[in-house]
PDB file of all heavy atoms in Angstrom:
ATOM      1  N   ALA R 150      28.208 -50.755 -36.660  1.00  0.00           N
ATOM      2  CA  ALA R 150      28.397 -49.309 -36.823  1.00  0.00           C
ATOM      3  C   ALA R 150      29.808 -49.004 -37.320  1.00  0.00           C
ATOM      4  O   ALA R 150      30.029 -47.996 -38.008  1.00  0.00           O
ATOM      5  CB  ALA R 150      28.121 -48.591 -35.499  1.00  0.00           C
ATOM      6  N   LEU R 151      30.757 -49.869 -36.967  1.00  0.00           N
ATOM      7  CA  LEU R 151      32.155 -49.662 -37.363  1.00  0.00           C
ATOM      8  C   LEU R 151      32.501 -50.385 -38.663  1.00  0.00           C
ATOM      9  O   LEU R 151      33.667 -50.498 -39.025  1.00  0.00           O
ATOM     10  CB  LEU R 151      33.078 -50.126 -36.227  1.00  0.00           C
ATOM     11  CG  LEU R 151      32.990 -49.258 -34.955  1.00  0.00           C
ATOM     12  CD1 LEU R 151      33.696 -49.942 -33.782  1.00  0.00           C
ATOM     13  CD2 LEU R 151      33.602 -47.875 -35.204  1.00  0.00           C
ATOM     14  N   GLY R 152      31.471 -50.907 -39.330  1.00  0.00           N
ATOM     15  CA  GLY R 152      31.714 -51.533 -40.633  1.00  0.00           C
ATOM     16  C   GLY R 152      32.137 -52.983 -40.547  1.00  0.00           C
ATOM     17  O   GLY R 152      32.653 -53.539 -41.529  1.00  0.00           O
ATOM     18  N   LEU R 153      31.911 -53.608 -39.390  1.00  0.00           N
ATOM     19  CA  LEU R 153      32.253 -55.030 -39.234  1.00  0.00           C
ATOM     20  C   LEU R 153      30.970 -55.855 -39.137  1.00  0.00           C
ATOM     21  O   LEU R 153      29.872 -55.305 -39.019  1.00  0.00           O
ATOM     22  CB  LEU R 153      33.111 -55.212 -37.973  1.00  0.00           C
ATOM     23  CG  LEU R 153      34.513 -54.606 -38.094  1.00  0.00           C
ATOM     24  CD1 LEU R 153      35.119 -54.373 -36.715  1.00  0.00           C
ATOM     25  CD2 LEU R 153      35.413 -55.514 -38.927  1.00  0.00           C
ATOM     26  N   ASP R 154      31.125 -57.164 -39.186  1.00  0.00           N
ATOM     27  CA  ASP R 154      29.984 -58.076 -39.121  1.00  0.00           C
ATOM     28  C   ASP R 154      30.238 -59.108 -38.031  1.00  0.00           C
ATOM     29  O   ASP R 154      31.394 -59.366 -37.658  1.00  0.00           O
ATOM     30  CB  ASP R 154      29.803 -58.784 -40.466  1.00  0.00           C
ATOM     31  CG  ASP R 154      29.505 -57.797 -41.573  1.00  0.00           C
ATOM     32  OD1 ASP R 154      28.424 -57.185 -41.537  1.00  0.00           O
ATOM     33  OD2 ASP R 154      30.367 -57.629 -42.462  1.00  0.00           O
ATOM     34  N   THR R 155      29.138 -59.712 -37.565  1.00  0.00           N
ATOM     35  CA  THR R 155      29.250 -60.678 -36.467  1.00  0.00           C
ATOM     36  C   THR R 155      28.473 -61.949 -36.779  1.00  0.00           C
ATOM     37  O   THR R 155      27.613 -61.962 -37.658  1.00  0.00           O
ATOM     38  CB  THR R 155      28.699 -60.088 -35.144  1.00  0.00           C
ATOM     39  OG1 THR R 155      27.307 -59.822 -35.305  1.00  0.00           O
ATOM     40  CG2 THR R 155      29.427 -58.815 -34.742  1.00  0.00           C
ATOM     41  N   GLY R 156      28.771 -62.966 -36.007  1.00  0.00           N
ATOM     42  CA  GLY R 156      28.040 -64.238 -36.088  1.00  0.00           C
ATOM     43  C   GLY R 156      27.860 -64.789 -34.687  1.00  0.00           C
ATOM     44  O   GLY R 156      28.629 -65.643 -34.244  1.00  0.00           O
ATOM     45  N   PRO R 157      26.833 -64.282 -33.953  1.00  0.00           N
ATOM     46  CA  PRO R 157      26.630 -64.754 -32.579  1.00  0.00           C
ATOM     47  C   PRO R 157      26.234 -66.231 -32.557  1.00  0.00           C
ATOM     48  O   PRO R 157      25.530 -66.694 -33.451  1.00  0.00           O
ATOM     49  CB  PRO R 157      25.479 -63.868 -32.061  1.00  0.00           C
ATOM     50  CG  PRO R 157      24.799 -63.342 -33.291  1.00  0.00           C
ATOM     51  CD  PRO R 157      25.840 -63.279 -34.361  1.00  0.00           C
ATOM     52  N   MET R 158      26.672 -66.942 -31.517  1.00  0.00           N
ATOM     53  CA  MET R 158      26.397 -68.383 -31.405  1.00  0.00           C
ATOM     54  C   MET R 158      26.266 -68.786 -29.937  1.00  0.00           C
ATOM     55  O   MET R 158      27.065 -68.369 -29.101  1.00  0.00           O
ATOM     56  CB  MET R 158      27.540 -69.195 -32.031  1.00  0.00           C
ATOM     57  CG  MET R 158      27.702 -68.965 -33.522  1.00  0.00           C
ATOM     58  SD  MET R 158      28.968 -70.007 -34.250  1.00  0.00           S
ATOM     59  CE  MET R 158      30.457 -69.208 -33.696  1.00  0.00           C
ATOM     60  N   SER R 159      25.265 -69.632 -29.677  1.00  0.00           N
ATOM     61  CA  SER R 159      25.145 -70.215 -28.339  1.00  0.00           C
ATOM     62  C   SER R 159      25.387 -71.722 -28.367  1.00  0.00           C
ATOM     63  O   SER R 159      25.324 -72.371 -27.319  1.00  0.00           O
ATOM     64  CB  SER R 159      23.767 -69.912 -27.741  1.00  0.00           C
ATOM     65  OG  SER R 159      22.739 -70.267 -28.644  1.00  0.00           O
ATOM     66  N   GLY R 160      25.690 -72.258 -29.538  1.00  0.00           N
ATOM     67  CA  GLY R 160      25.921 -73.692 -29.660  1.00  0.00           C
ATOM     68  C   GLY R 160      27.334 -74.082 -29.273  1.00  0.00           C
ATOM     69  O   GLY R 160      28.193 -74.342 -30.136  1.00  0.00           O
ATOM     70  N   PHE R 161      27.574 -74.103 -27.967  1.00  0.00           N
ATOM     71  CA  PHE R 161      28.881 -74.531 -27.443  1.00  0.00           C
ATOM     72  C   PHE R 161      28.670 -74.981 -26.008  1.00  0.00           C
ATOM     73  O   PHE R 161      27.608 -74.749 -25.412  1.00  0.00           O
ATOM     74  CB  PHE R 161      29.918 -73.397 -27.525  1.00  0.00           C
ATOM     75  CG  PHE R 161      29.613 -72.205 -26.653  1.00  0.00           C
ATOM     76  CD1 PHE R 161      30.173 -72.079 -25.392  1.00  0.00           C
ATOM     77  CD2 PHE R 161      28.750 -71.206 -27.078  1.00  0.00           C
ATOM     78  CE1 PHE R 161      29.882 -70.989 -24.572  1.00  0.00           C
ATOM     79  CE2 PHE R 161      28.453 -70.108 -26.277  1.00  0.00           C
ATOM     80  CZ  PHE R 161      29.019 -70.002 -25.021  1.00  0.00           C
ATOM     81  N   ASP R 162      29.684 -75.628 -25.440  1.00  0.00           N
ATOM     82  CA  ASP R 162      29.596 -76.165 -24.075  1.00  0.00           C
ATOM     83  C   ASP R 162      30.045 -75.081 -23.092  1.00  0.00           C
ATOM     84  O   ASP R 162      31.248 -74.861 -22.906  1.00  0.00           O
ATOM     85  CB  ASP R 162      30.494 -77.415 -24.003  1.00  0.00           C
ATOM     86  CG  ASP R 162      30.427 -78.100 -22.645  1.00  0.00           C
ATOM     87  OD1 ASP R 162      30.099 -77.437 -21.647  1.00  0.00           O
ATOM     88  OD2 ASP R 162      30.744 -79.309 -22.603  1.00  0.00           O
ATOM     89  N   ASN R 163      29.054 -74.415 -22.487  1.00  0.00           N
ATOM     90  CA  ASN R 163      29.405 -73.287 -21.609  1.00  0.00           C
ATOM     91  C   ASN R 163      30.336 -73.706 -20.473  1.00  0.00           C
ATOM     92  O   ASN R 163      31.309 -73.001 -20.170  1.00  0.00           O
ATOM     93  CB  ASN R 163      28.135 -72.664 -21.019  1.00  0.00           C
ATOM     94  CG  ASN R 163      27.367 -71.847 -22.036  1.00  0.00           C
ATOM     95  OD1 ASN R 163      26.711 -72.409 -22.913  1.00  0.00           O
ATOM     96  ND2 ASN R 163      27.453 -70.538 -21.968  1.00  0.00           N
ATOM     97  N   ALA R 164      30.016 -74.845 -19.827  1.00  0.00           N
ATOM     98  CA  ALA R 164      30.827 -75.259 -18.675  1.00  0.00           C
ATOM     99  C   ALA R 164      32.265 -75.540 -19.105  1.00  0.00           C
ATOM    100  O   ALA R 164      33.228 -75.175 -18.409  1.00  0.00           O
ATOM    101  CB  ALA R 164      30.207 -76.494 -18.030  1.00  0.00           C
ATOM    102  N   ALA R 165      32.420 -76.165 -20.285  1.00  0.00           N
ATOM    103  CA  ALA R 165      33.770 -76.483 -20.764  1.00  0.00           C
ATOM    104  C   ALA R 165      34.525 -75.191 -21.131  1.00  0.00           C
ATOM    105  O   ALA R 165      35.730 -75.067 -20.872  1.00  0.00           O
ATOM    106  CB  ALA R 165      33.686 -77.413 -21.969  1.00  0.00           C
ATOM    107  N   VAL R 166      33.814 -74.235 -21.731  1.00  0.00           N
ATOM    108  CA  VAL R 166      34.459 -72.949 -22.072  1.00  0.00           C
ATOM    109  C   VAL R 166      34.863 -72.216 -20.789  1.00  0.00           C
ATOM    110  O   VAL R 166      35.954 -71.642 -20.695  1.00  0.00           O
ATOM    111  CB  VAL R 166      33.519 -72.085 -22.954  1.00  0.00           C
ATOM    112  CG1 VAL R 166      34.009 -70.635 -23.042  1.00  0.00           C
ATOM    113  CG2 VAL R 166      33.410 -72.703 -24.351  1.00  0.00           C
ATOM    114  N   ASP R 167      33.999 -72.285 -19.782  1.00  0.00           N
ATOM    115  CA  ASP R 167      34.337 -71.624 -18.516  1.00  0.00           C
ATOM    116  C   ASP R 167      35.599 -72.259 -17.908  1.00  0.00           C
ATOM    117  O   ASP R 167      36.476 -71.556 -17.406  1.00  0.00           O
ATOM    118  CB  ASP R 167      33.163 -71.720 -17.535  1.00  0.00           C
ATOM    119  CG  ASP R 167      31.936 -70.979 -18.044  1.00  0.00           C
ATOM    120  OD1 ASP R 167      32.071 -70.196 -19.008  1.00  0.00           O
ATOM    121  OD2 ASP R 167      30.840 -71.189 -17.490  1.00  0.00           O
ATOM    122  N   ALA R 168      35.678 -73.595 -17.979  1.00  0.00           N
ATOM    123  CA  ALA R 168      36.855 -74.283 -17.426  1.00  0.00           C
ATOM    124  C   ALA R 168      38.107 -73.942 -18.230  1.00  0.00           C
ATOM    125  O   ALA R 168      39.196 -73.764 -17.671  1.00  0.00           O
ATOM    126  CB  ALA R 168      36.613 -75.792 -17.415  1.00  0.00           C
ATOM    127  N   ALA R 169      37.953 -73.820 -19.542  1.00  0.00           N
ATOM    128  CA  ALA R 169      39.126 -73.592 -20.401  1.00  0.00           C
ATOM    129  C   ALA R 169      39.609 -72.141 -20.372  1.00  0.00           C
ATOM    130  O   ALA R 169      40.813 -71.883 -20.489  1.00  0.00           O
ATOM    131  CB  ALA R 169      38.784 -73.996 -21.843  1.00  0.00           C
ATOM    132  N   PHE R 170      38.675 -71.205 -20.239  1.00  0.00           N
ATOM    133  CA  PHE R 170      39.057 -69.791 -20.362  1.00  0.00           C
ATOM    134  C   PHE R 170      38.964 -68.994 -19.058  1.00  0.00           C
ATOM    135  O   PHE R 170      39.562 -67.924 -18.951  1.00  0.00           O
ATOM    136  CB  PHE R 170      38.189 -69.095 -21.426  1.00  0.00           C
ATOM    137  CG  PHE R 170      38.532 -69.484 -22.831  1.00  0.00           C
ATOM    138  CD1 PHE R 170      37.942 -70.589 -23.429  1.00  0.00           C
ATOM    139  CD2 PHE R 170      39.485 -68.761 -23.553  1.00  0.00           C
ATOM    140  CE1 PHE R 170      38.263 -70.964 -24.729  1.00  0.00           C
ATOM    141  CE2 PHE R 170      39.818 -69.134 -24.848  1.00  0.00           C
ATOM    142  CZ  PHE R 170      39.207 -70.235 -25.442  1.00  0.00           C
ATOM    143  N   PHE R 171      38.188 -69.488 -18.098  1.00  0.00           N
ATOM    144  CA  PHE R 171      37.956 -68.682 -16.885  1.00  0.00           C
ATOM    145  C   PHE R 171      38.256 -69.465 -15.608  1.00  0.00           C
ATOM    146  O   PHE R 171      37.664 -69.189 -14.567  1.00  0.00           O
ATOM    147  CB  PHE R 171      36.505 -68.164 -16.872  1.00  0.00           C
ATOM    148  CG  PHE R 171      36.137 -67.369 -18.101  1.00  0.00           C
ATOM    149  CD1 PHE R 171      35.165 -67.823 -18.985  1.00  0.00           C
ATOM    150  CD2 PHE R 171      36.788 -66.170 -18.397  1.00  0.00           C
ATOM    151  CE1 PHE R 171      34.838 -67.110 -20.128  1.00  0.00           C
ATOM    152  CE2 PHE R 171      36.474 -65.440 -19.542  1.00  0.00           C
ATOM    153  CZ  PHE R 171      35.492 -65.905 -20.406  1.00  0.00           C
ATOM    154  N   ALA R 172      39.183 -70.433 -15.697  1.00  0.00           N
ATOM    155  CA  ALA R 172      39.487 -71.276 -14.539  1.00  0.00           C
ATOM    156  C   ALA R 172      39.972 -70.436 -13.361  1.00  0.00           C
ATOM    157  O   ALA R 172      39.700 -70.752 -12.199  1.00  0.00           O
ATOM    158  CB  ALA R 172      40.524 -72.321 -14.917  1.00  0.00           C
ATOM    159  N   ASP R 173      40.683 -69.338 -13.652  1.00  0.00           N
ATOM    160  CA  ASP R 173      41.242 -68.517 -12.566  1.00  0.00           C
ATOM    161  C   ASP R 173      40.230 -67.531 -11.997  1.00  0.00           C
ATOM    162  O   ASP R 173      40.516 -66.863 -10.997  1.00  0.00           O
ATOM    163  CB  ASP R 173      42.457 -67.712 -13.080  1.00  0.00           C
ATOM    164  CG  ASP R 173      43.572 -68.640 -13.520  1.00  0.00           C
ATOM    165  OD1 ASP R 173      43.572 -69.805 -13.079  1.00  0.00           O
ATOM    166  OD2 ASP R 173      44.430 -68.191 -14.308  1.00  0.00           O
TER     167      ASP R 173
END
Side-chain angles (χ1 to χ4, degrees):
L151 293 168
L153 291 160
D154 298 293
T155 63
M158 296 184 285
S159 51
F161 65 96
D162 183 336
N163 286 75
V166 166
D167 296 347
F170 287 88
F171 304 115
D173 297 339

